[in-house]
Amino acid sequence: MSIASKYDPHVVEEKWYSYWLEKKLFHSEPDNRKSYTIVIPPPNVTGVLHMGHMLNNTIQDVLIRRARMLGFNACWVPGTDHASISTEAKVVAMLKERGIDKRDLSREQFLEYAWEWKEKYGGIILKQLRKLGASCDWDRTSFTMDEVRYESVIRVFVDLYNKGLIYRGVRMVNWDPQALTAVSDEEVIYKESHGKLFYLRYYLSQGTVLPEGSEESGIKSDEKGQYIVVATTRPETILGDTAVCVHPEDSRYTALKGKQVVVPGVGRAVQIIMDEYVDREFGTGALKITPAHDINDYNLGMKYGLETIDIFNDNGTLNEKGLQYAGMDRFACRKQIVKDLEAAGLIEKIEDYTNKVGHSERTDAVIEPKLSAQWFVRMGDLAKKALEVVENDTIQFHPAKFKNTYRHWLENIKDWCISRQLWWGHRIPAYYYDVDGKVETVVALNREEAFRLVCEKHPGVVKSADELRQDEDALDTWFSSWLWPISLFDGIRNPDNEEIKYYYPTETLITAPDIIFFWVARMIMAGEEYRNEVPFRHVYFTGIVRDKLGRKMSKSLGNSPDPIELIEKFGADGVRMGMLLTAPAGNDIPFDESICEQGRNFSNKIWNAMRLVKCWEVSDELQQSYDNGVSVQWMEMRMAQVLEEIEKDFDEFRLSEALMKSYKLVWDDFCSWYLEMIKPAYGTPIDRETYEATIGIFDRLMRILHPFMPFVTEEIWHTLAERPEGASIMVQHMPHSVFYDQRMLDDFEMTREIIAGVRNLRNSKGLSPKEVLDLYVKGQCPAMFNGIICKLGNVGKIESVADKVEGALSFMIGTTECFVPVSLNIDKEAELKKLNEELKYAEGFLATVMKKLGNEKFVNGAPEKVVAIERQKKADAESKIAALKAQIEALG
RNA sequence: GGGAGUAUAGCUCAGUUGGUUCAGAGCGUCUGCCUUACAAGCAGAAGGUCAUUGGUUCGAACCCAAUUACUCCCACCA
């Protein structure tokens, strides 16, 4: 038979993926089996596969394939996310390249381009997932903006609004005065910039008299009166000042409590407020408060009921509140106001100062914090329920340490701002109209419905639906993602449909820990609100894939390998295995291409094991030998033992451990031991019974490995035996652990050690593996595997002896002495040295044991079992020491 | 600034309720082998003061405290 000695994944992977698709093996329909559902964390629709996806989706595939083989109705639903911010940014950039400015387009025109873009690049990432072997039910592929998902999102918005859980409020946004739009936090780039820190004088209001002795503190005075000094980097914003704040425990300013100061150059008297927010060390410890132009100031303004004075126009020029500076650009104003204040003697000093200033990623303009009306979801009750189900382990986190992070966030949660100043996304279904010069709002599923509501509320005010003005903003992308596990099965629009009842709740969510708040927490909230049930039972947090220097993978660093190229190089199975081996849950993965080599080598190892087995000539006449019978028995038991461990690992989501154990079971136990044990001598046949047993074992080993390495296992499974048309390993039963005899396994461990001892002896003495040696054993030794020892150690005969053998090399396994007579001269010096070292070690060991046993507190305090073990150790050590001493004496 | 986490062999990680000499695995390294499935392989070996310092205990890699270093998340420095 001619089978290539190297496994070639390329043909195999193509072949089996098409086969699986063709036989509809990934597709799921509700039936009477138990469901096992995973919903994919939807990747950005215009994204391309990176290493993070590889890891995440490999894990999902492992779990879903295993569930399928365990007899569940496994359903893995794929889909993509419209990702408002990043997709819109990409479309804007694309338009710019074509010489089109977004501002010149209408909303409709822009969206047309955006959909065009989506059609062109959307879903590339899903195609790439197929290369990885992902067993998604592709018939169910969804998009967060397709019809079902769109309607679900809008319905939820309307519903929450009607329940009073959605409201409109004020919030500080990052305003780009050049693009005339708000930009997201992610689009703000903080740059170091060299500016000045201006120290301004705020005089106390006329008539204010401070008590004696306050001069040496923060309060100064000159001919014009008493004043305090406030430091600022943005002197132009004093036009919007409505307070000055100091720390309540700052002794320099205690006298100021309840007093007022005058904003320099503006003449407005503002109150002094006291709050612990102020950093006493910074500047003079006094802070000017401009609620309209700084988020912290805004919060303080809310807390103390301060007036909010917005001094800017949208384009960054001063408005009428800017007094004589109205119409000037904000930076020109800064220069002018400094000049004017200096002239008026209101500036104490100016220092150089370096700080970080936010710039717009799109236009590079300096970001202006600006108050604006936004939509919010009330988090109170939703958060409470979401916290509860994680605290009481209805939902389990793996690893559990993320519960802490989760708790902290939910306990300090703020309302969720869900409006975004974007076009690409779900447009907010709020409609505005005017009644007596006042703007009124209705929220409805669509314009017609809105019109109907308006007619009820204010009959005759609005003539037609077209007159209603719909909100220009789109919803935060997470406002659609949080419904994903429900909306995928149409559970929002049709809450009682068969699919949602069957597939929901899903089983496990696999995601990265950095979106625990954005996504995980909110899905839990939505699940509680709309299904009254958690969306998943387990959350498996993957690590972040880094390069081998520990840096995050990023495009700009160019340190992210192309997963598709990796698959080309090492095969999908190799890459999958490489990723999983170094990826315990929640740990970051320092990724190095070379770890995929181990996976590739393993594929090859299995391939060659198959080659070996398939090239044996099978004899029907030959009786199974005793040794072969024992070998089969041992392998079966060993497999049962490891399976037990693997099952436990899966229960605890220790996937790397489970894979490593499977790896060693196949490579070490099966290939290195079992196959060597039963391998017939060259040119001789193997008996049928052993052969069939071996095929059976091989078959089950492939099933164990299948979730990790789907392609190579399918290929080999088909090679091992004739399979009916349409058969596939992916729908075979996963082997279960069965009873095994621990004694027999322990005996074999001893056998292994004896064989290793003999081999080691050869190695260290330069004896050829071809030279047959004899073995004499003094002490306990299982005879069951003697034939195996002879075969694998190339031992001629094994004899049990009562006394030590003169002139032989020796080694000890526990308290058992093994002697190997050799023809060559024994190097007495070296032997003595080795024996003395062992003796020294054994005596040291005995000493520690004796110390323990001599300690009354130990003997009385420790459990009996532990003491008994110590006594046994003492006895073993003593007999070992006696044996070693005897050997040393014999040599010397 | 607030919160969370990590520290064990050259690298990546196990180590379950404190109790066997418990200090482990894989990779890498070194030595010897082209042995008839596989050199993408086979047979062996070496490698660690369990970050540091104290404490609790008969007994600590494990529990407690402090220190040091690193990582992540959130908020952002007037």
Side-chain angles (χ1 to χ4, degrees), chain A residues 841-856:
Chain A
Y841 180 82
E843 282 173 340
F845 173 52
L846 182 63
T848 67
V849 175
M850 292 306 287
K851 197 177 154 199
K852 268 192 194 177
L853 286 170
N855 184 340
E856 250 179 69

Side-chain angles (χ1 to χ4, degrees), chain A residues 812-827:
Chain A
M812 289 192 84
I813 309 295
T815 54
T816 300
E817 292 174 83
C818 300
F819 300 94
V820 180
V822 288
S823 50
L824 54 90
N825 287 328
I826 293 169
D827 179 349

Side-chain angles (χ1 to χ4, degrees), chain A residues 344-370:
Chain A
L346 292 167
I347 295 189
E348 179 99 348
K349 60 176 171 176
I350 301 174
E351 284 177 354
D352 285 330
Y353 186 67
T354 306
N355 67 343
K356 278 187 237 162
V357 177
H359 289 69
S360 167
E361 189 178 37
R362 303 186 203 174
T363 62
D364 205 38
V366 173
I367 290 295
E368 193 62 56
K370 182 181 162 72

Side-chain angles (χ1 to χ4, degrees), chain A residues 710-721:
Chain A
F711 294 110
V712 67
T713 50
E714 181 78 290
E715 174 70 14
I716 286 175
W717 189 77
H718 279 268
T719 318
L720 288 175

